[in-house]
């Protein structure tokens, strides 16, 4: 699998550094994939704003399972969503699967009207804007329609196998150890799994699946752990000050 990842890294770098003619061609999405042209210009190359973000991007190009752990506002979700959208737009993977535990600040998801996709959509808002920014609205909407971008509740993943996909588990600190084990054992061929979380914001009772997984698998080959700190916060200086205030009341 490492050989495949190296090939994909070269493919992605080549696609981002090609000449103007290639950029003009790449402004349009392959109709076999999304059926609609991009509705915005090809985005600029994704660049890290902090050292930790740079390590995170490097890990995505070299590992099969990546943990991004740290406080809110450090860009974990943004970087993962942007990188995944670029890979899908460049047709290096078939699908993006996005999931998160059905817990919101300590409460279960509960009843929401509509189909499963509509019920789960509010939990995927953090990824929507960055993916539209990277892919264009038309391509994003077609990818959703064709299930190339697929929001899936964590509880519905038992028995599934991830293949040729980028899978993002957000808010992973709110998984149980059993849920995390179930999720991680879905990994199949040509699959990149990105797990984001903040172990200081655990909203469930009992053990956290993220903490448990870090203790169990962080030493394995093809697993990378990138730790973000308050110094990596890029959302705003106020967020950094608020986090410090809550840490030291």
């Amino acid at each position: 699998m490492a050989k495949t990842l190296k090939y994909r890294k070269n493919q992605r770098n080549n696609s981002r550094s090609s000449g103007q003619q290639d950029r003009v061609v790449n402004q349009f999405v392959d109709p076999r994939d999304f059926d609609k042209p991009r509705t915005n210009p090809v985005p600029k190359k994704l660049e890290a704003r902090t050292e930790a973000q740079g390590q995170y991007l490097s890990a995505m190009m070299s590992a099969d399972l990546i943990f991004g752990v740290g406080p809110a506002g450090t860009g974990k979700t943004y970087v993962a969503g942007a990188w995944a959208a670029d890979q899908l737009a460049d047709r290096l993977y078939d699908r993006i699967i996005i999931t998160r535990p059905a817990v919101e600040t300590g409460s279960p998801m509960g009843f929401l009207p509509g189909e499963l996709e509509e019920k789960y959509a509010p939990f995927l808002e953090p990824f929507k804007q960055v993916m539209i920014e990277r892919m264009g609205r038309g391509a994003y909407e077609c990818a959703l329609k064709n299930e190339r971008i697929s929001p899936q509740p964590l509880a519905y993943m038992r028995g599934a196998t991830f293949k040729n996909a980028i899978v993002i588990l957000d808010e992973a600190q709110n998984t149980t150890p059993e849920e995390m084990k179930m999720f991680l054992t879905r990994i199949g061929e040509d699959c990149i799994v990105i797990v984001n979380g903040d172990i200081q914001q655990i909203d469930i009772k009992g053990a956290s699946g993220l903490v448990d997984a870090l203790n169990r698998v962080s030493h394995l080959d093809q697993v990378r752990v990138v730790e973000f700190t308050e110094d990596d916060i890029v959302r705003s200086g106020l967020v950094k000050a608020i986090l410090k205030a809550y840490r030291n009341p």
Side-chain angles (χ1 to χ4, degrees):
M1 187 174 293
K3 183 177 180 180
T4 303
L5 287 170
K6 183 177 181 181
Y7 169 76
R8 285 179 172 152
K9 179 179 180 180
N10 291 335
Q11 286 289 93
R12 179 171 182 269
N13 288 341
N14 289 339
S15 68
R16 294 301 181 192
S17 61
S18 57
Q20 183 65 30
Q21 182 176 358
D22 290 336
R23 285 188 174 274
V24 172
V25 172
N26 285 337
Q27 288 184 23
F28 298 92
V29 179
D30 189 329
R32 293 171 298 179
D33 288 345
F34 304 128
D35 303 321
K36 289 185 179 180
R38 286 184 185 268
T39 53
N40 66 337
V42 174
K44 295 180 180 179
K45 180 180 178 181
L46 182 61
E47 295 182 351
R49 296 180 60 185
T50 65
E51 182 177 351
Q53 286 188 7
Q55 294 172 357
Y56 203 29
L57 286 169
S58 295
M60 292 174 195
M61 299 305 302
S62 62
D64 297 333
L65 173 58
I66 304 98
F67 291 90
V69 183
T74 52
K76 302 185 302 296
T77 298
Y78 181 92
V79 171
W83 183 83
D86 285 355
Q87 303 303 295
L88 187 67
D90 289 341
R91 295 180 286 282
L92 298 180
Y93 291 88
D94 289 342
R95 302 176 70 198
I96 299 172
I97 299 171
I98 302 173
T99 189
R100 64 194 303 179
V103 174
E104 186 74 2
T105 61
S107 301
M109 182 162 58
F111 175 77
L112 289 173
E115 300 295 331
L116 183 62
E117 292 81 3
E118 296 173 321
K119 182 182 177 77
Y120 209 62
F123 293 85
L124 301 178
E125 280 299 312
F127 294 97
K128 180 178 179 179
Q129 288 304 317
V130 64
M131 288 187 170
I132 290 175
E133 174 187 315
R134 303 302 296 183
M135 301 173 65
R137 183 174 294 276
Y140 171 80
E141 291 177 352
C142 282
L144 277 177
K145 180 179 179 181
N146 297 333
E147 297 185 347
R148 290 184 177 274
I149 297 177
S150 178
Q152 296 185 17
L154 187 62
Y156 285 71
M157 289 188 170
R158 189 176 300 277
T161 300
F162 307 138
K163 292 183 179 180
N164 199 24
I166 299 171
V167 188
I168 303 174
L169 171 58
D170 206 29
E171 301 291 345
Q173 74 275 3
N174 289 328
T175 61
T176 66
E178 293 77 15
E179 287 173 331
M180 181 64 79
K181 178 183 177 182
M182 179 274 293
F183 172 78
L184 294 179
T185 53
R186 304 304 98 200
I187 300 175
E189 294 296 323
D190 295 329
C191 180
I192 301 295
V193 174
I194 303 169
V195 179
N196 289 331
D198 179 1
I199 59 176
Q200 301 301 319
Q201 290 188 337
I202 298 173
D203 298 315
I204 61 172
K205 296 179 180 179
S208 165
L210 176 58
V211 175
D212 184 65
L214 291 171
N215 290 332
R216 292 178 184 273
V217 306
S218 60
H219 66 284
L220 299 178
D221 291 340
Q222 290 304 309
V223 175
R224 300 289 183 273
V225 178
V226 179
E227 296 185 5
F228 294 79
T229 70
E230 290 178 357
D231 291 335
D232 297 307
I233 292 175
V234 294
R235 186 171 294 165
S236 74
L238 179 58
V239 170
K240 185 183 297 186
I242 289 172
L243 288 175
K244 288 182 178 179
Y246 272 89
R247 189 184 70 239
N248 301 308

